[in-house]
Amino acid sequence: MQHRGFLLLALLTLLALTTAVAKKKDKVKKGGPGSECAEWTWGPCTPSSKDCGVGFREGTCGAQTQRVRCRVPCNWKKEFGADCKYKFESWGACDGGTGTKARQGTLKKARYNAQCQETIRVTKPCTPKTKAKAKGQGGGGRC
């Protein structure tokens, strides 16, 4: 009976050890924090189809190359890219001459070693004056 208990304990220990070794090998392969290479250089996220959605980003470190999944939001069609994160001021007043309004952003975070400008200026068309919503006026009630 003691032999069975000992064999069962030895088997469980061996199983736990092989699982731990397999997990460690996976971490080294992925080039994550446990990787030998410390200076990864990452390219931009390139969508698999069209100009947004799921895609891949390639990274290199010495002779190692990696591809990781990434995603470009479909409403992110800015010239400064999805890897440069900015803190923006409020929108300025509408410029009657150009029909646009502008605001400035200061770099908050550059992901994947992206080359980002420290400050940027973005513009958008001014919204036309909308008519006040006719709340509770005629025809919209229940029959």
Side-chain angles (χ1 to χ4, degrees), residues 41-122:
T41 304
W42 295 96
C45 182
T46 306
S48 297
S49 63
K50 300 188 181 179
D51 59 353
C52 65
V54 176
F56 291 94
R57 176 187 314 277
E58 289 197 3
T60 58
C61 185
Q64 298 178 47
T65 302
Q66 261 189 352
R67 282 182 75 185
V68 294
R69 286 182 58 147
C70 61
R71 187 173 191 288
V72 176
C74 289
N75 62 351
W76 199 265
K77 299 189 178 158
K78 309 276 191 282
E79 65 275 2
F80 48 86
D83 293 330
C84 301
K85 302 295 180 188
Y86 291 91
K87 177 161 178 60
F88 285 96
E89 301 171 348
S90 298
W91 287 103
C94 184
D95 180 348
T98 62
T100 61
K101 54 185 173 180
R103 67 179 178 172
Q104 186 169 323
T106 306
L107 183 64
K108 186 168 75 170
K109 184 178 186 180
R111 297 175 51 206
Y112 292 99
N113 301 327
Q115 300 297 315
C116 303
Q117 299 176 39
E118 285 297 317
T119 58
I120 58 169
R121 181 178 164 86
V122 292

Side-chain angles (χ1 to χ4, degrees), residues 9-60:
L9 182 63
L11 183 63
L12 287 175
T13 304
L14 182 63
L15 181 63
L17 186 61
T18 56
T19 304
V21 169
K23 284 184 180 178
K24 188 173 183 178
K25 281 185 180 179
D26 284 348
K27 282 185 181 178
V28 171
K29 280 184 188 175
K30 289 181 182 175
S35 176
E36 297 167 9
C37 193
E39 292 294 320
W40 282 92
T41 304
W42 295 96
C45 182
T46 306
S48 297
S49 63
K50 300 188 181 179
D51 59 353
C52 65
V54 176
F56 291 94
R57 176 187 314 277
E58 289 197 3
T60 58

Side-chain angles (χ1 to χ4, degrees), residues 120-142:
I120 58 169
R121 181 178 164 86
V122 292
T123 60
K124 74 175 185 179
C126 298
T127 54
K129 299 283 183 192
T130 57
K131 295 180 184 176
K133 290 184 180 177
K135 246 186 177 179
Q137 292 180 356
R142 292 184 183 171

